Amino acid sequence: MELAYYYDMAGNAVMKKILDQDFFKRLGPIVREARSVGFDKEGFLLYIKARDDLVEEARKLLKDTPARLLEGDEAESVINAFREEQESAEAGMGTLFG
């Protein structure tokens, strides 16, 4: 399962503390500046890809934080941007070691 969240610059310090918890360290979410992934806002995007039970736990832990769950077309375009980034990285590793 995949989820995408957005939080603004004001929420960055709080989110850094939350994402520094052991659960999130093991989960390995990806954080990028929103504009670097084509999102038209100042702030950060958080991408989570994991088993359904872990994603649900992350959703609970992020419920009362500055992070806002993205839904619909907005979520789809952000998730696709993260997927493309991962595929490009994997393709690059393939050419190095393939």
Side-chain angles (χ1 to χ4, degrees), residues 13-75:
V14 171
M15 290 305 297
K16 279 185 178 183
K17 287 181 183 177
I18 291 167
L19 296 175
D20 198 36
Q21 295 174 5
D22 285 340
F23 173 80
F24 285 106
K25 284 183 178 180
R26 287 191 310 272
L27 190 63
I30 300 170
V31 177
R32 296 282 184 268
E33 285 190 32
R35 292 202 188 271
S36 73
V37 209
F39 198 70
D40 194 28
K41 291 184 182 179
E42 290 289 329
F44 297 91
L45 293 169
L46 171 67
Y47 171 71
I48 298 171
K49 180 179 179 181
R51 294 188 331 246
D52 290 357
D53 59 325
L54 295 174
V55 169
E56 287 306 317
E57 181 66 21
R59 189 188 304 247
K60 288 176 190 174
L61 292 170
L62 293 170
K63 185 178 180 193
D64 296 320
T65 69
R68 176 179 62 86
L69 179 64
L70 300 178
E71 297 177 314
D73 291 340
E74 196 173 48

